[in-house]
Structure formats: structure tokens, C-alpha cells
Amino acid sequence: MVVSRKQELPIINIYIKGTRLKQKDQFKYLGSLISSDGRNNSEVASRIAQAKTNFQKMKTVLTNKNISIRTRRRALECYIEPILMYGCEAWTISKQTQKKLEATEMWFLRRMLRISWTAKKTNDTVLEEAHTTRLLISKIRKRQATFFGHVMRREKLENLVTTGMLEGKRSRGKQREKLIEGLTDWLKAGKSLEAIEATKERKKWRTMIANAVKQGT
């Protein structure tokens, strides 16, 4: 695989004992879908689909009104959300991706409450009936921040990959959002460099994460 922003990917020829290896646009690695464009759109879509499929398998429990909504939400957190959030520590969450994840969160709640799409209930009303608020994005950001702090403190190859600079010119148009930029904004840490420095103090970093979680998305 070649990971590139170019629409036409460079062709590579790698041979093993005279056999050319097939060049792929996508492949699964440790359960996550890696794409040649370097984006995680396909992976997020795959995770959403898998989570919804497993939700349907547990439908008899998750939509059972004889079980309290709090208990059913707990079951959702234990059995469905880990499928959805697998590998989310490496996701770059754009506004479009965030909307898809928030829509998925509401998809779960509406079906747990057995609310028909014709009922025309607002998301705020659904959240009130479910005795909850929007939590999914905060959970993902918390996992990302925890993992990011661990990577920064180790100062190994992962640190270099995350913070390193590439030689060459910037591409035209709007630049892609980076993981650290999304985290810095969520943590309200000022600039990216300030967030990276904060990771060196474990207690300070944990406090910043806890405050961001309290404030929500």
C-alpha cells in the first residue's frame, strides 16, 4: 500500500521470489481498516455498521421496556460501544465524522425507547426520556487524550510519528485536521505545543482531561 494525498496513487512493484505483491487501497490491520488516502472515514463507517449489526442481535434486551432504560444503557456501554469505539484512539474526528457518530448515538437511543421516525421527537426530547446527555464524543476524546499522553511520555517511535514534520511544501486548499489539533481544541489547551508539554506532567494532564469531560463536547 502507498499512503498518499494524490488522487492517482503511485504504482509500486515489490516482488517476493518472482511473485509481485498486489497493491491494495485498503486492508485490515489488527482489526482496523487502513486506507491509502490516510483518512479514517472508511474505518468509522465500518465501526458504525458493525455496532448497529450487534445492536440488532441484542435487540430483545436493549429494546425491552420491562428493563429500566438505565440498565439497558449500561448494557449498550458494555457490549455495543466497545465495538463502535475500537481503535478510536487514532481517529481524526472532523465535523462530518462527529455528526455521523452523534447520529449513531441517537440511533441507539431512539431504538431503545422504541421511538418511530414518524414521531418527530427532537434529539433533546429523546435524551431527556433516556435520562442522559450526549456522551459518545467525550468518551472517544477521553480515550484519545489518555492514549496521546501515554505516547508523548514514552518518547519512542510513536511520539516521532505523531509530532514529526514532513519535508516539502504544503498542499493546496484547506489542510487536513490533525489528531493533536482536535484534542487541543477539546481540552481548551491553547496551542498544540502547550498540550504536548502538558502531557509530561501526568497529574496535570489527567486534570485537563477530567475538566474537558465535565464540560462535554
Side-chain angles (χ1 to χ4, degrees), residues 33 40-52 84 91 97 100-101 104:
L33 191 62
N40 49 242
N41 297 341
S42 297
E43 167 63 3
V44 173
S46 174
R47 284 285 132 201
I48 290 173
Q50 290 180 58
K52 287 183 176 181
L84 175 62
W91 291 355
T97 300
K100 289 181 179 179
L101 291 168
T104 303

Side-chain angles (χ1 to χ4, degrees), residues 12 20 25 34 37 47 49 76 79 89 116 125 154 172 179 216:
I12 55 172
R20 181 178 179 273
D25 294 328
I34 310 298
D37 61 2
R47 284 285 132 201
L76 183 78
Y79 297 105
E89 291 84 355
S116 171
T125 301
R154 286 193 67 195
R172 291 184 179 181
L179 173 63

Side-chain angles (χ1 to χ4, degrees), residues 25 50 115 122 157 195 203:
D25 294 328
Q50 290 180 58
I115 297 174
T122 65
L157 178 61
K203 289 184 178 180

Side-chain angles (χ1 to χ4, degrees), residues 61-74:
V61 174
L62 294 172
T63 62
N64 189 340
K65 290 193 173 182
N66 292 324
I67 304 173
S68 71
I69 187 62
R70 285 186 173 84
T71 301
R72 283 183 281 151
R73 281 198 292 107
R74 182 60 180 159

Side-chain angles (χ1 to χ4, degrees), residues 23-150:
Q23 186 170 340
K24 303 287 289 182
D25 294 328
Q26 293 182 339
F27 73 89
K28 281 243 178 181
Y29 179 69
L30 297 178
S32 295
L33 191 62
I34 310 298
S35 300
S36 59
D37 61 2
R39 299 180 185 274
N40 49 242
N41 297 341
S42 297
E43 167 63 3
V44 173
S46 174
R47 284 285 132 201
I48 290 173
Q50 290 180 58
K52 287 183 176 181
T53 298
N54 283 274
F55 180 95
Q56 294 293 352
K57 290 179 181 178
M58 293 187 63
K59 188 176 180 179
T60 53
V61 174
L62 294 172
T63 62
N64 189 340
K65 290 193 173 182
N66 292 324
I67 304 173
S68 71
I69 187 62
R70 285 186 173 84
T71 301
R72 283 183 281 151
R73 281 198 292 107
R74 182 60 180 159
L76 183 78
E77 292 171 3
C78 291
Y79 297 105
I80 307 301
E81 286 186 0
I83 297 171
L84 175 62
M85 296 192 294
Y86 178 83
C88 69
E89 291 84 355
W91 291 355
T92 300
I93 303 178
S94 63
K95 290 182 179 179
Q96 183 181 8
T97 300
Q98 181 167 331
K99 286 180 180 179
K100 289 181 179 179
L101 291 168
E102 289 177 339
T104 303
E105 182 177 25
M106 297 309 303
W107 187 91
F108 291 146
L109 293 177
R110 286 178 181 275
R111 276 151 186 78
M112 290 170 72
L113 295 170
R114 295 188 178 184
I115 297 174
S116 171
W117 64 273
T118 58
K120 296 182 179 180
K121 287 190 177 182
T122 65
N123 287 336
D124 289 337
T125 301
V126 174
L127 290 168
E128 187 177 345
E129 290 185 17
H131 306 294
T132 187
T133 57
R134 290 186 183 272
L135 300 171
L136 182 60
I137 298 300
S138 283
K139 289 178 181 179
I140 292 173
R141 287 301 192 190
K142 181 181 179 181
R143 290 177 63 162
Q144 288 184 332
T146 302
F147 180 71
F148 183 77
H150 175 69

